[in-house]
Amino acid sequence: MEGPSTENLRCILLATDLSARCDRAQDRAVQLAREHGAKLIAVCVNETSLGDVLTARRSQVVDRNAAERRFRAGLGSVDVQAELVLETGHAVEVIRKTAEARHCDLIVTGVARDETLGRLLLGTTVEKLAREAAQPILVVRERPHHDYRDFVAAVDFSEGSRQALQAALTLFPDARPLLFHAFSAHNAHAEAAVVEQARAKADNEVTEFMKRNAALLNRPDIEWKIEHGLPEDVLPDYVARHPTELLVVGTHGRTGILRTAIGSVAEQLIQHTPCDVLIVRQRQP
């Protein structure tokens, strides 16, 4: 089964509120658009009440012109085909529908002050986007001074984690990949022999995963890191101790972080890890 089709990005959706807090996400989206020769669709959603809409009608044209000037000023002289979409409504719904209608291959958004898309909380926006949008979601935290040079991909040998890994390897072919697997002995205080048995099982699963995905993983710079513990505990700790530029997670895996990636664990990762996060929703056959 093939994962998300990201080999040739044709259209990238940038979710933005056009404020300075979204500059890093816009810079990364522009960089990817230039690299792939893709069109950039910037979506800015005004989540207002009915009363707000009625009283604001008189200034809609002025606001649209101001937003367009702000967006173009942020682009500068970059040679990218770009379009700004301004809508009033529910942010997640507008983003999802626009991504579908414009056949976007990737959604890019930013994080600032524990928020995504300005006033919206991470837990609601990212989780709902991951549940409802078919496209991979790149959550940008750091200023993009260069292409991604490395990434850590959470792998639990499931189809969901395979698709997430495939998306990352395709989107960022020059980045050095580290595949991270957390295994559990089903007992926090398991004896050393039990832990070693669980580790041996994990090693065998790595070997089988490599065989099943030989074409995808046929590159000399693939590295593995296998650690004992719950994924939601050991992965954030590993990323904190070994800085990386991008964390890659799938939304449907067998256990731990990959199973709950669109819930509280993803929120914790985005808030408490310094790197960007690529969230890839598993596509069903």
Side-chain angles (χ1 to χ4, degrees):
M1 174 181 171
E2 293 299 319
S5 176
T6 53
E7 184 170 355
N8 295 305
L9 290 179
R10 297 158 298 176
C11 187
I12 298 171
L13 186 148
L14 168 67
T16 178
D17 64 1
L18 297 177
S19 70
R21 79 185 82 200
C22 291
D23 284 352
R24 297 181 179 188
Q26 178 168 319
D27 289 348
R28 179 63 73 180
V30 168
Q31 179 241 319
L32 289 171
R34 291 186 62 188
E35 179 181 347
H36 290 264
K39 182 175 182 178
L40 177 62
I41 305 292
V43 177
C44 182
V45 183
N46 182 23
E47 288 202 319
T48 59
S49 66
L50 177 59
D52 292 334
V53 173
L54 292 176
T55 57
R57 282 181 177 173
R58 59 182 174 81
S59 61
Q60 283 182 347
V61 174
V62 175
D63 290 345
R64 180 171 292 274
N65 291 339
E68 186 72 31
R69 288 194 300 271
R70 192 180 310 146
F71 174 58
R72 296 296 169 182
L75 290 176
S77 59
V78 176
D79 184 20
V80 169
Q81 184 182 5
E83 176 185 350
L84 176 63
V85 175
L86 292 176
E87 295 283 352
T88 298
H90 187 274
V92 173
E93 182 179 357
V94 172
I95 293 168
R96 179 182 60 80
K97 288 184 176 180
T98 303
E100 291 179 357
R102 301 302 184 91
H103 304 288
C104 297
D105 304 299
L106 177 70
I107 296 174
V108 180
T109 185
V111 175
R113 303 176 196 165
D114 293 335
E115 295 179 81
T116 298
L117 305 182
R119 293 173 288 115
L120 300 179
L121 295 177
L122 280 169
T124 58
T125 305
V126 173
E127 179 174 350
K128 289 180 179 178
L129 276 176
R131 289 188 183 278
E132 300 179 19
Q135 298 80 5
I137 300 169
L138 178 62
V139 183
V140 178
R141 191 180 187 100
E142 290 298 299
R143 190 170 301 282
H145 298 293
H146 45 70
D147 295 346
Y148 290 118
R149 294 173 296 189
D150 58 66
F151 67 81
V152 172
V155 176
D156 72 346
F157 313 123
S158 68
E159 177 59 23
S161 64
R162 188 199 70 81
Q163 289 186 18
L165 176 58
Q166 179 186 19
L169 290 171
T170 306
L171 274 172
F172 315 114
D174 296 326
R176 185 176 67 255
L178 186 143
L179 281 53
F180 187 99
H181 174 69
F183 70 93
S184 174
H186 304 293
N187 188 335
H189 306 287
E191 295 181 356
V194 176
V195 173
E196 286 308 309
Q197 288 179 354
R199 184 181 298 275
K201 179 182 177 182
D203 289 336
N204 290 334
E205 290 188 292
V206 167
T207 300
E208 292 301 317
F209 185 80
M210 293 289 289
K211 288 180 180 179
R212 292 197 309 271
N213 300 282
L216 177 65
L217 303 177
N218 184 24
R219 46 188 292 174
D221 58 346
I222 293 285
E223 293 185 39
W224 282 89
K225 181 64 178 179
I226 303 175
E227 289 200 2
H228 174 234
L230 296 175
E232 57 265 40
D233 294 332
V234 296
L235 181 52
D237 181 66
Y238 179 85
V239 172
R241 290 184 288 107
H242 303 83
T244 185
E245 296 179 348
L246 179 67
L247 178 63
V248 180
V249 295
T251 60
H252 293 81
R254 294 189 314 195
T255 58
I257 189 170
L258 295 175
R259 185 188 59 205
T260 60
I262 51 179
S264 60
V265 175
E267 183 177 341
Q268 290 177 2
L269 287 174
I270 297 168
Q271 290 182 350
H272 300 300
T273 58
C275 63
D276 298 353
V277 180
L278 179 68
I279 303 173
V280 181
R281 177 184 176 188
Q282 179 179 337
R283 290 191 175 185
Q284 301 301 324

